[in-house]
Amino acid sequence: MRATAALLEQPGQPFVLTEVDLEDPRPDEVLVRVAAVGVCGTDLEFARFFPTPALLGHEGAGIVEKVGAQVTSVCPGDHVAMSFTSCGTCALCLTGSPAYCRSFDAVNFSGRRPDGSTAVTHGGLEVNAHFLGQSSFAGHVVAPERAVVRIDPSWDLLRAGPFGCGFQTGAGGVLNVLRPRPGSSIAVFGVGAVGVAAVIAASLSGCEVIAAVDVNTAKLEAARGFGATHCVDSSAEGTAGQLADLVPEGFDFVIDTTGREDVLRTAVEALGPLGHAGVIGVGPSETMSFDWRSILNGRTVTGIVAGSSLPRLFLPQLLELNARGRFPVEKMITYFPFEQINEAVAAVRSGSVGKAVLTF
């Protein structure tokens, strides 16, 4: 079948709207008509170097139109949110940790199915797709069953997509990994969509001090509306001193969403004894470093993928919280028609929107 898609023809170039051809789903795959898809920083990061022609996008939500013969978890007509995929057979998948699947990079970032094929072609040429199990910058998606999560049809489908990555990542980093006790302190470095989800999760956890740290004053003010108790403008000098003034004995927890070495160093150094740092950002720095004394006194630094979540369980929980008004991320969403994908990308890069979502 044919589908409208935003194709990346050259790394770092604008997306081009065109028509692509999709294979029918294989026995373990589903065909989803996409209703909306979020624009994530990971899409923009991979757009710089992903092999082209490429079809990206990984925060899709929509309605199942066709299922393969072996699919049992969804049926045509089901509303679904889409998330990362995994092999389903390694020890980590089998013990409930698919975010750390031993084949994670191969099945999510190779642009191909595990057998090396692709379901997407353009003008007779193969397209590198299957990005994080989806490639949902398109009106239709062929995805593995493991990448789709059935959701309640009463939930808003247009806002469900970002729960599959950004919101799940930020919230899961707090709720699934750090698990702060009521009355504890946490600092969230970078309060875009992922960071705000972490702020909301910290508020739900009963944290007494929730410090939002960012260079963007508008994002800081928005974070206060989502539950941040304090805001630290890191564009000014003395970020470490400001944090020490808030919690002189050091923070219990920190989350870094920026992927910047200098920011992570500041975050780790802001911890108190037995403090725990969660690293969830994909950003410009390829390495991280800090003085060895920074991790004495029992401090821990943990890398976190996709909120360490089991999407089929965690996404419905977050969406239910949203439906009850306890995870109000819709306040940060700005919608763009799919045809305006490059305008949405520019808005994300400039920081003028909290979360851009494309609608079909």
Side-chain angles (χ1 to χ4, degrees):
M1 68 167 295
R2 291 222 147 182
T4 301
L7 208 62
L8 185 68
E9 296 182 339
Q10 295 293 331
Q13 295 299 307
F15 292 95
V16 176
L17 259 67
T18 187
E19 296 287 311
V20 297
D21 292 300
L22 298 180
E23 290 183 356
D24 283 339
R26 291 182 174 181
D28 62 343
E29 294 177 331
V30 301
L31 175 69
V32 179
R33 175 168 55 83
V34 180
V37 55
V39 178
C40 177
T42 302
D43 294 310
L44 308 190
E45 184 70 17
F46 275 81
R48 297 188 303 108
F49 57 82
F50 204 71
T52 54
L55 183 56
L56 302 177
H58 66 284
E59 290 188 340
I63 300 174
V64 176
E65 289 196 342
K66 188 182 294 187
V67 301
Q70 298 173 3
V71 172
T72 60
S73 65
V74 294
C75 301
D78 282 346
H79 288 207
V80 293
M82 290 182 277
S83 191
F84 62 88
T85 191
S86 52
C87 75
T89 58
C90 72
L92 293 169
C93 284
L94 292 174
T95 53
S97 297
Y100 305 103
C101 171
R102 297 193 187 281
S103 300
F104 192 91
D105 286 357
V107 297
N108 286 286
F109 298 130
S110 70
R112 301 288 168 142
R113 295 182 176 111
D115 67 359
S117 66
T118 176
V120 186
T121 56
H122 176 61
L125 298 176
E126 293 185 339
V127 173
N128 292 299
H130 305 280
F131 186 63
L132 280 154
Q134 307 172 40
S135 286
S136 48
F137 282 165
H140 284 80
V141 168
V142 173
E145 181 183 15
R146 290 184 63 81
V148 301
V149 178
R150 184 172 57 187
I151 63 175
D152 191 312
S154 68
W155 294 335
D156 190 338
L157 200 56
L158 297 188
R159 77 174 68 141
F163 282 82
C165 181
F167 299 154
Q168 167 180 252
T169 296
V174 174
L175 299 175
N176 296 334
V177 180
L178 300 186
R179 300 182 180 181
R181 62 191 178 279
S184 58
S185 58
I186 186 171
V188 179
F189 290 76
V191 284
V194 175
V196 164
V199 166
I200 297 172
S203 181
L204 289 171
S205 300
C207 292
E208 183 176 350
V209 176
I210 305 172
V213 186
D214 206 297
V215 299
N216 187 315
T217 54
K219 287 184 177 180
L220 288 172
E221 189 56 36
R224 194 181 294 278
F226 287 103
T229 60
H230 300 81
C231 294
V232 175
D233 182 354
S234 56
S235 66
E237 294 291 331
T239 300
Q242 295 181 69
L243 293 167
D245 288 341
L246 292 178
V247 186
E249 68 276 16
F251 282 81
D252 298 310
F253 304 96
V254 296
I255 283 271
D256 174 55
T257 75
T258 70
R260 294 180 59 95
E261 180 184 5
D262 56 335
V263 175
L264 179 60
R265 185 182 304 115
T266 300
V268 171
E269 291 174 353
L271 288 169
L274 295 178
H276 194 170
V279 183
I280 60 178
V282 176
S285 297
E286 295 184 0
T287 62
M288 60 180 178
S289 64
F290 30 80
D291 189 282
W292 63 272
R293 286 180 291 268
S294 297
I295 55 172
L296 291 181
N297 297 327
R299 293 169 179 159
T300 302
V301 180
T302 302
I304 304 170
V305 175
S308 287
S309 76
L310 191 59
R312 289 190 186 179
L313 296 179
F314 194 55
L315 294 194
Q317 291 170 358
L318 289 182
L319 285 161
E320 175 61 23
L321 286 170
N322 175 256
R324 289 159 48 193
R326 300 188 62 200
F327 200 83
V329 289
E330 64 275 7
K331 295 191 294 183
M332 79 172 82
I333 293 176
T334 301
Y335 292 101
F336 295 81
F338 183 66
E339 294 76 16
Q340 294 181 13
I341 183 171
N342 290 308
E343 290 86 344
V345 166
V348 171
R349 285 187 169 134
S350 70
S352 62
V353 301
K355 167 58 70 174
V357 172
L358 305 170
T359 60
F360 290 83

